[in-house]
Amino acid sequence: MYLSKEEERILNGELGEIKAKAIKILTTLGDIFNAEKLIPIESTQISGVSYKTIGDAGLEFIEDWSSAKVVVESRMNPAGMDLNDWQDLGISREFAEKQLRIIKALTSMGVKKSCSCTPYHAGLVPTRRSHIAWSESSAVAFANSVLGAMTNREGGPSALSAALIGSTPNYGYHLAENRIAQMVFEVNFNLTNFDFTLLGYYIGTIAKNKIPLIKGIKQANWEQLKSLGAGGAASGGIAMYMIPNITPECESIEKPERIVVSKKDLREIQAKLSTGNEPDIITFGCPHCSYEEIQEIFMNVKTKNKIWIYTSNEVKERIKNIPSNIKILSDSCMVVSPIKELGIKCIATDSTKCAHYSQNLSQIKCVLKSREELLHGN
Ligand code: F3S
């Protein structure tokens, strides 16, 4: 892999041991994937922030690196708890202390204390065709597909390394020739809001990590596209999808495999992911809600059941007049927080990604329904 004089100096340790380790991670990745060089990036979004998911080994790794400084705008993925309200929620002090050490180490490196999987709802919107190094899978799908930015699905350490060096190896989704759909899915019916998460999940189970081109969707807003990408990233490894007249890029290989999606396919996904009956709590915000979504929830809520809404800190600060049965939580989410230890055995969600990981990662049951049904108490 070609390295500039400056990059050689970093690799040789002239800018410190941590930066040398960081560029070593990037060049090793570049060598594995045949990247020719490193390319400058605009921003990073770093996963592996929750103590629940990275444990003591991850905490130690981040603290070891904490003397180095990031050189591009960098944000964190959700942590294991709301950084202000953790005591109210019943998070143990032992967990909280370790979580706060992770946040302290990252902020001392210059990573912004904005822990969200939807940084694009919180002021970080990459420009089209810009190179970025993001790691939360739903944010990667959104950035590539909807914003037209270019990122691979980074791991936490590679995103952090990219943040410290300001560049990433040029391979995968950074190359125009790899941003071409390999499969076509046809949807011949009108999609409800809820169908977008089901459709994404369904497509991910078939397309795996290929780029799907989805025909038949006439219009879609950011929230619907966010749900679609999150579902596909959870069930498969979708990092980019294309929709004619909606996504900025839309090109497929000649004669791609063609799959017709039926309403029944989507209902089967819902049935497969619905494993519970009696939710202890209703949760929204996987991926994190936008300000507009929260206002809409407030306007339509009829149920008196307990609702937790997850969002970014930036959005939470703008929220006023919160109904009494609703709690707004930031910095965290129902999947990466120790929700089972809080005594919760079953949650209701409108997100296939949340249902998928709650069962696989947290071993709790799920009721998967549309937001409208959950808000009406059905
Ligand atoms: Fe975000 Fe957590 Fe879902 S990180 S996409 S709310 S699993």
Side-chain angles (χ1 to χ4, degrees), residues 188-227:
N188 300 318
F189 54 92
N190 289 334
L191 295 171
T192 63
N193 267 336
F194 182 48
D195 285 341
F196 280 85
T197 185
L198 299 170
L199 176 65
Y201 196 92
Y202 173 73
I203 290 175
T205 59
I206 297 170
K208 308 285 184 216
N209 58 2
K210 291 186 180 149
I211 300 178
L213 189 152
I214 310 164
K215 288 189 173 169
I217 300 179
K218 293 180 189 64
Q219 55 184 29
N221 59 32
W222 267 25
E223 281 75 20
Q224 292 165 331
L225 296 171
K226 169 178 78 174
S227 301

Side-chain angles (χ1 to χ4, degrees), residues 77-78 117 136 138 230 285-288 332-336 353-354 357:
N77 213 31
C117 49
E136 151 53 33
S138 71
C286 177
H288 278 178
S332 185
C333 82
M334 58 296 255
V335 170
V336 300
K353 176 168 180 178
C354 176
Y357 284 112

Side-chain angles (χ1 to χ4, degrees), residues 45 67 85 90 93 127 129 162 168 173 178 269 299 324 338 344:
Q45 191 265 354
S67 58
D85 278 352
R93 182 159 292 278
T127 49
R129 309 301 285 179
T168 193
Y173 290 92
N178 294 330
I269 294 294
M299 275 190 314
S324 59
I344 293 170

